[in-house]
Amino acid sequence: MLTLQDCIALSDLTPEELMVIAHHEHLPDIVAVEKGYAFLQKEWGNPALRQMMLDEVSAALRDGRKQAALELLAQLRECCEKHPGGLDRRLQHREH
């Protein structure tokens, strides 16, 4: 039987990224792993993960949780290095 840690290891997500997805999307951890793995396979997955992390930083700042915001910013920096590039699907249909 696979454990949650096994699934995380197979997903290309860090435990911190998993927690952000689970919190942002209001999902149980194991479902968040599946969702995170699935969207990282898409060209828009990396930008989507980075945006979720940025949303969580913003929420922490709004709630006055400065330490949490600092920790999330550090995670966002690592996420940007680990998951660069991709196409932001929100920008694909904009006309210039």
Side-chain angles (χ1 to χ4, degrees), residues 59-86:
L61 289 172
R62 261 193 325 273
D63 296 344
R65 297 180 293 122
K66 294 177 184 176
Q67 186 60 40
L70 288 172
E71 291 169 9
L72 286 162
L73 277 172
Q75 292 172 17
L76 175 59
R77 189 174 311 114
E78 291 174 17
C79 180
C80 289
E81 292 172 5
K82 183 177 177 187
H83 304 287

Side-chain angles (χ1 to χ4, degrees), residues 27-90:
L27 297 171
D29 292 348
I30 193 67
V31 178
V33 171
E34 182 180 0
K35 182 172 186 164
Y37 175 78
F39 70 65
L40 285 179
Q41 306 311 306
K42 308 286 185 184
E43 63 185 5
W44 49 263
N46 289 350
L49 178 57
R50 294 190 305 262
Q51 185 62 51
M52 283 184 206
M53 297 192 91
L54 188 56
D55 290 347
E56 292 300 311
V57 170
S58 296
L61 289 172
R62 261 193 325 273
D63 296 344
R65 297 180 293 122
K66 294 177 184 176
Q67 186 60 40
L70 288 172
E71 291 169 9
L72 286 162
L73 277 172
Q75 292 172 17
L76 175 59
R77 189 174 311 114
E78 291 174 17
C79 180
C80 289
E81 292 172 5
K82 183 177 177 187
H83 304 287
L87 292 174
D88 189 330
R89 63 184 172 174
R90 296 168 302 168

